[in-house]
Amino acid sequence: MKVAIVGAGIAGLASAVRMAVKGHAVEVFEKEAKPGGKLSSLQAGAYRFDLGPSLFTMPQYVDELFVLAGEDPREHFQYHRLPVICNYFWEDGTRLHAYAEKEAFAREAEDKLGVRANKVLQLLQQAETKYKLTGRTFLEKSLHRADTWLDPSVLWALLQLPRFDLFTTMDSVHARALDNPKMIQLFNRFATYNGSNPYKAPGLLSIIPHFEHHYGAYLPEGGMVAITERIHALAERRGVKFHFNQNVEEILVSDGRASGLRVQGQSLDFERVICNMDVFFAYHKLLPAAKKPERVLRQQKSTSALIFYWGIKKTFPELNVHNIFFSDNYQAEFAALEAGGMHEDPTVYVNLTSRHVQGDAPEGCENWFVMINAPYDRGQDWEELTRLTRARTLEKLSRLLGTDVSALIEAEYILTPPTIESRTGSHLGALYGTSSNNRMAAFLRHANFSSDIRELYFAGGSVHPGGGIPLCLLSARIVDECCSS
């Protein structure tokens, strides 16, 4: 078949590989000059930064693409497991290393916070149990096909519903298991992995720590953008044709079937279309005559972010690849986000790769990717919010690190929710499509296929199973399975 893919984000690239492996003639159309979408990079002076996702877990989903293509992943894509997943900092001077190895992490929590190690291990065991019962069902299968729900393993999982904590919040699950506010806050922050509020998101999301403390967190050689570069190269080796700087204007439909694309005024014939565009824009821009799934498109959006890319002319040995500087009032921070504003004491995430990726920063310097959770764009005064948040962030980091960080910045680039939308095509700048702030959110994401238009499929973070690198790769796998059935 002649297969067209709209968008060269990570899910579009993975879909291209999968379709090419099946023997189809695949062409990918991307409006930007290079592949990757959010998973790309930028240069600011002498500093290189990964633009978007900075955490790499479950690398088996990348390796899987090379294996499907008959190649050895290690010959093309290298990555290293991080012994410490994240360093955590609190206002009272408490610092904690979240070791990748579960027992070491639990001992650290006991030593630094006084939380009994067995309580941490029990919570991680509960996360693993929930994942084994639900993960392969709700993350690796389409939730919009009858054969999924008739699968014996799914029926068994449904019998375990009371164990999923669907009817309580993520925060309640962690508060029930732990008796330390700092440790509860640490586990609650995993809700931000899909742009949700831990005080509203269902307890089932407490499975997320399992991804890091079982499968591990990794850093690819060459930085996160290497994921994009290696999959793009794999697709090209399989004969996929890429068209960059090519804006798709419409998905053509004939007799209820996707029949091609209109690209910059030219109609091109295809027999199948896979759309890796944000599903909101897919309907409002590319499918003007199609019936719109209004209920899905009206769902609450996930959070966005203010991101400061700072070239820092100093090194900080107390920092690791991933670092979190917590707010003193986490619940108030999320309440401010839900109201469309920014909290005066934000939680700050700092990622740096220069210690491991040669050339990311000059000698004696570091490349800081500084991210603060922000509401999706509702027309706020982003110039003022950015000014205030930048000042508050610098004050917080300077205080907790004992150094005037503002005096160390020699390169800077800033992304706000509006610029995230314009640069990556994420509706309203929402990083993960819709939030998971109610227990049915996972079931309300758009399907990976159209129920009205044959041979039209959807992949990426705005559809099932959700945002983030592993889930985007799984969306491509689900599309592949839907196409094959």
Side-chain angles (χ1 to χ4, degrees):
M1 296 180 70
K2 290 183 65 179
V3 178
I5 297 177
V6 181
I10 189 67
L13 294 173
S15 295
V17 170
R18 289 178 175 277
M19 292 294 107
V21 165
K22 294 286 179 67
H24 301 307
V26 183
E27 297 187 43
V28 180
F29 297 83
E30 169 58 52
K31 70 180 180 67
E32 299 296 332
K34 58 185 180 181
K38 298 184 185 75
L39 193 57
S40 57
S41 66
L42 64 89
Q43 194 76 27
Y47 297 84
R48 189 204 70 87
F49 301 89
D50 289 309
L51 179 70
S54 57
L55 178 69
F56 183 36
T57 61
M58 306 184 88
Q60 65 267 28
Y61 295 141
V62 177
D63 289 347
E64 179 179 78
L65 297 172
F66 291 92
V67 173
L68 285 172
E71 297 185 4
D72 180 354
R74 296 294 74 76
E75 292 182 2
H76 302 280
F77 180 52
Q78 303 289 337
Y79 50 83
H80 303 286
R81 183 167 182 156
L82 300 175
V84 176
I85 295 172
C86 188
N87 285 352
Y88 292 95
F89 300 76
W90 282 271
E91 286 285 352
D92 64 1
T94 302
R95 297 183 178 184
L96 181 145
H97 301 297
Y99 294 100
E101 198 269 323
K102 286 184 282 192
E103 284 73 17
F105 174 43
R107 287 195 301 271
E108 174 80 350
E110 186 164 270
D111 291 343
K112 298 293 178 62
L113 301 180
V115 179
R116 291 203 301 273
N118 69 308
K119 288 193 172 185
V120 176
L121 293 173
Q122 286 171 5
L123 187 58
L124 291 173
Q125 182 58 54
Q126 291 169 16
E128 180 175 1
T129 299
K130 288 174 186 174
Y131 176 72
K132 287 180 176 178
L133 286 171
T134 66
R136 305 192 77 85
T137 298
F138 298 126
L139 299 181
E140 300 186 12
K141 294 178 179 289
S142 170
L143 298 183
H144 303 82
R145 289 163 43 122
D147 57 356
T148 294
W149 300 103
L150 296 175
D151 186 302
S153 65
V154 175
L155 294 174
W156 168 249
L158 291 175
L159 293 175
Q160 312 300 312
L161 271 178
R163 303 173 67 180
F164 296 168
D165 289 314
L166 281 174
F167 300 98
T168 190
T169 65
M170 191 179 187
D171 174 67
S172 296
V173 170
H174 297 150
R176 184 178 67 208
L178 304 165
D179 54 6
N180 182 284
K182 288 185 173 67
M183 204 63 185
I184 294 168
Q185 185 179 33
L186 188 156
F187 274 90
N188 277 352
R189 79 109 178 164
F190 286 100
T192 65
Y193 281 28
N194 66 2
S196 299
N197 179 342
Y199 304 97
K200 289 189 173 182
L204 180 59
L205 291 189
S206 60
I207 67 172
I208 297 175
H210 176 66
F211 300 155
E212 291 187 7
H213 290 282
H214 177 78
Y215 293 104
Y218 300 80
L219 181 65
E221 290 186 3
M224 296 294 287
V225 73
I227 302 172
T228 290
E229 294 169 345
R230 304 303 184 267
I231 300 176
H232 173 231
L234 172 61
E236 288 193 317
R237 290 196 297 274
R238 296 299 304 191
V240 175
K241 295 180 180 179
F242 285 86
H243 305 276
F244 295 109
N245 296 309
Q246 296 288 300
N247 187 42
V248 176
E249 298 166 336
E250 186 176 355
I251 295 173
L252 303 177
V253 179
S254 179
D255 296 324
R257 180 189 182 98
S259 59
L261 302 177
R262 190 174 76 248
V263 182
Q264 298 186 183
Q266 183 180 5
S267 295
L268 305 174
D269 293 333
F270 290 95
E271 299 165 273
R272 173 179 295 159
V273 175
I274 300 173
C275 185
N276 182 211
M277 190 179 195
D278 186 293
V279 72
F280 181 91
F281 289 126
Y283 278 97
H284 284 274
K285 292 185 177 182
L286 305 188
L287 294 161
K291 179 183 177 182
K292 295 175 177 56
E294 297 293 352
R295 184 183 180 193
V296 171
L297 300 183
R298 283 198 307 266
Q299 288 186 84
Q300 181 188 14
K301 293 293 181 180
S302 77
T303 53
S304 183
L306 286 174
I307 309 176
F308 302 96
Y309 304 87
W310 288 333
I312 301 291
K313 52 184 179 182
K314 187 181 187 306
T315 59
F316 288 80
E318 61 266 55
L319 297 182
N320 215 306
V321 176
H322 305 289
N323 309 273
I324 294 285
F325 297 80
F326 272 124
S327 166
D328 250 359
N329 192 333
Y330 215 35
Q331 193 159 4
E333 182 179 4
F334 281 97
L337 292 171
E338 293 241 338
M342 302 287 294
H343 193 244
E344 61 184 16
D345 174 30
T347 294
V348 178
Y349 166 71
V350 178
N351 165 254
L352 60 99
T353 57
S354 50
R355 210 166 295 164
H356 303 277
V357 181
Q358 187 175 7
D360 276 6
E363 186 71 24
C365 303
E366 293 177 339
N367 62 335
W368 285 17
F369 167 110
V370 181
M371 176 176 168
I372 300 93
N373 289 321
Y376 60 86
D377 184 22
R378 308 180 201 177
Q380 298 96 322
D381 183 349
W382 287 109
E383 183 176 349
E384 178 64 9
L385 281 174
T386 301
R387 184 191 67 79
L388 281 172
T389 303
R390 183 182 187 276
R392 290 164 175 167
T393 299
L394 284 169
E395 193 277 331
K396 184 183 188 79
L397 292 174
S398 298
R399 184 175 64 255
L400 293 179
L401 292 173
T403 302
D404 180 7
V405 174
S406 63
L408 302 174
I409 299 172
E410 63 176 0
E412 182 175 44
Y413 185 84
I414 300 174
L415 282 182
T416 66
T419 52
I420 288 171
E421 176 178 295
S422 64
R423 182 154 185 164
T424 69
S426 300
H427 183 227
L428 302 180
L431 293 177
Y432 309 94
T434 57
S435 74
S436 295
N437 286 340
N438 67 74
R439 62 178 177 269
M440 299 306 295
F443 304 98
L444 293 176
R445 281 188 173 272
H446 195 284
N448 302 98
F449 58 90
S450 170
S451 57
D452 300 315
I453 303 171
R454 301 189 306 281
E455 295 300 340
L456 175 58
Y457 299 89
F458 298 92
S462 66
V463 298
H464 179 71
I469 295 169
L471 300 191
C472 285
L473 292 170
L474 282 175
S475 75
R477 184 205 285 181
I478 293 169
V479 165
D480 187 14
E481 292 173 353
C482 290
C483 290
S484 302
S485 61

